[in-house]
Amino acid sequence: GQQLNQSPQSMFIQEGEDVSMNCTSSSIFNTWLWYKQDPGEGPVLLIALYKAGELTSNGRLTAQFGITRKDSFLNISASIPSDVGIYFCAGKDSNYQLIWGAGTKLIIKP
Amino acid sequence: NAGVTQTPKFQVLKTGQSMTLQCAQDMNHEYMSWYRQDPGMGLRLIHYSVGAGITDQGEVPNGYNVSRSTTEDFPLRLLSAAPSQTSVYFCASSYSELSNTEAFFGQGTRLTVV
């Protein structure tokens, strides 16, 4: 089946640092999505990307849809404590089904 | 609006018991889906529905049934619970299958099968 490789699995960062995570796929996707999940909650949509090459921002978050349609990255600038959580990428295939990455856990060092 | 509401939030079952996880949305969304989330893995699709009266299997449907008698409700039934079904279950909805996002998730049901 289709697989998404999301990296890194976890990140320890200092407050104020920039963060970068990415997802790669063995298959082409028509849509890339980035979600954040807080403990005890469901995922919340952060950014949706619909076209290859598209670069979209949402506040301090920036995400890009790779030209090959097989990858995407998410950057967070000037991280703050409320950025902690698990970030998931998800790709939507031609059957409109979402395939999810395993998540990147963001931890801010005290 | 309440969004997507899942009940219960926590449940412990014995092996072989059956139960229904409830999911309701009040946004008149056509598309609803059920996922399970296991440690270190992304969400995996169990079943989905593109509208009332229509359901289909996702990636991991075995051991689960669904029905969609109304637009609002999409219950997930465990027929005979097994320890392998210990997981966190999420229900999600979006306006339609063609809309590009599962925009709304419930808070999840944490199920333990002993």
Side-chain angles (χ1 to χ4, degrees):
Chain A
Q2 299 179 78
Q3 291 187 337
L4 276 187
N5 295 311
Q6 185 171 352
S7 64
Q9 284 188 324
S10 61
M11 301 181 72
F12 288 83
I13 60 168
Q14 297 278 6
E15 184 176 349
E17 284 184 350
D18 296 342
V19 172
S20 184
M21 60 192 77
N22 67 84
C23 278
T24 59
S25 168
S26 57
S27 305
I28 289 173
F29 288 121
N30 296 323
T31 300
W32 280 96
L33 307 168
W34 286 92
Y35 290 84
K36 182 187 179 214
Q37 185 178 29
D38 292 323
E41 301 290 332
V44 174
L45 182 66
L46 298 173
I47 291 179
L49 303 160
Y50 303 112
K51 287 170 48 177
E54 180 179 353
L55 183 71
T56 298
S57 293
N58 178 7
R60 293 179 295 106
L61 279 61
T62 302
Q64 185 158 30
F65 192 144
I67 288 291
T68 66
R69 294 168 64 192
K70 291 185 177 182
D71 63 315
S72 177
F73 71 75
L74 174 71
N75 288 340
I76 305 172
S77 62
S79 56
I80 61 178
S82 61
D83 289 336
V84 300
I86 303 177
Y87 292 80
F88 290 97
C89 63
K92 200 148 197 173
D93 65 16
S94 56
N95 294 317
Y96 305 105
Q97 300 308 311
L98 276 184
I99 309 298
W100 292 74
T104 295
K105 189 172 186 178
L106 190 62
I107 303 160
I108 294 187
K109 300 175 192 174
Chain B
N1 286 342
V4 179
T5 303
Q6 286 184 239
T7 56
K9 288 192 176 180
F10 301 94
Q11 182 71 49
V12 179
L13 289 178
K14 293 182 179 179
T15 298
Q17 285 186 315
S18 62
M19 79 158 293
T20 299
L21 279 62
Q22 301 292 343
C23 176
Q25 51 90 10
D26 60 0
M27 299 170 282
N28 202 32
H29 283 172
E30 291 294 325
Y31 185 84
M32 297 184 73
S33 52
W34 275 102
Y35 291 89
R36 60 177 289 171
Q37 184 176 36
D38 299 298
M41 301 180 71
L43 278 72
R44 291 184 292 168
L45 183 65
I46 304 171
H47 285 284
Y48 66 97
S49 168
V50 301
I54 306 169
T55 64
D56 208 343
Q57 296 180 347
E59 181 185 356
V60 289
N62 292 340
Y64 308 95
N65 275 356
V66 291
S67 60
R68 186 91 180 273
S69 56
T70 66
T71 298
E72 294 77 20
D73 299 299
F74 190 44
L76 177 73
R77 296 185 189 85
L78 280 70
L79 308 173
S80 177
S84 61
Q85 293 179 304
T86 294
S87 188
V88 181
Y89 291 85
F90 287 101
C91 178
S93 76
S94 60
Y95 180 70
S96 73
E97 184 182 24
L98 298 182
S99 71
N100 281 311
T101 61
E102 251 87 322
F104 298 92
F105 279 82
Q107 287 192 307
T109 296
R110 187 174 295 274
L111 176 68
T112 302
V113 182
V114 298

